[in-house]
Amino acid sequence: MGDWKQFNTVAGEVFYVIIAIIFVLVAINAIKTIEDKRKKYTTFLFWIVLAFTFAIGPHVDKMVTGICVVVLAILTGSKGVTQGKGKELIPEETRKHADRIGYKIFIPALTLAISAVLLASLLPKMSGAVVLGFSGLAGLISALVITKAKFTESASEGVRLMDNVGTTGILPQLLSALGAVFTVAGVGEVISSGVSAVIPEGNKFIASAVYCIGMALFTMIMGNGFAAFSVITVGIGIPFLIMQGANPAIVGALGLTAGYCGTLMTPMAANFNIMPAALLETKSQYTIIKAQIPYALVMLLVHIFLVYFLAF
């Protein structure tokens, strides 16, 4: 047990340092390529502070990390972070590579997913972060083999990708942490007291509807289904469904996927909706959300009936 704990700690630190190095490279690129003098240094500061939290954050006082988060928020809120200039892509060359590789481009993504499942199944004592780290490494190796690219190109492209994504890349982490804060602060209890005035006693269908809709709405606010799950399940799921005899496993599973319906409809879920729009260079950053809304509403309605008929 001790050996695995030490391995997870060391391996996890290695992967976090690698991520920090990418952030440092993005910062250096900002200094070199951004013309606006103010934003050049504020962007540099943002990525350096972020790199600091990833590299040595666990080894400093929590107050220092908290100050770093506040600094990141101020730099972002003041619009002091902008995108640097990366390698200019030539459309003809890009098209040539795309035609050569074809559908094999999906192999790295599949390699990452399959590796994660295998590692988690065969080595259950390996931490989730380390599993993702080794899975990402496997995906990188497969990508280098398929594309015949140099290893140095993976670093430069990683910097370009991170720069394109920008500050939204860390939004899921911040929202997840905020969900934990809300739970500890007792937000779930406040929601429970408010909902009790809306749901008629013993009405299981309305309770199912309020729970699913609440999960979707709170996920839209938080941008993270996992962050919303603890708050809404404590506030609505347990007192109004499980305490009335609903199956906890079914309530939990369907509640989380009901939250995912909200994920499809919010810009707060940046890694799902805003990030792809930035990478695809769509005319509007909300294009993906607009396309997903009808399907999300239908699925949310289906979830209400599934909870009602399957949980009780």
Side-chain angles (χ1 to χ4, degrees), residues 50 97 103 113 129 157 207 210 220 243 262 272 292:
L50 186 59
H97 289 308
Y103 289 111
E157 288 301 302
V210 171
M220 291 175 69
M243 296 300 291
F272 292 107
Q292 292 174 165

Side-chain angles (χ1 to χ4, degrees), residues 3 23 39 61 72 130 140 142 183 201 227 261 301 312:
D3 293 340
F23 293 153
K39 290 188 176 181
D61 189 270
L72 294 176
V130 177
L140 173 61
S142 65
T183 302
E201 185 176 354
C261 296
L301 180 62
F312 293 99

Side-chain angles (χ1 to χ4, degrees), residues 2 10 45 62 119 149 155 165 230 245:
V10 174
L45 180 61
K62 293 180 180 179
L119 286 173
V165 173
S230 58

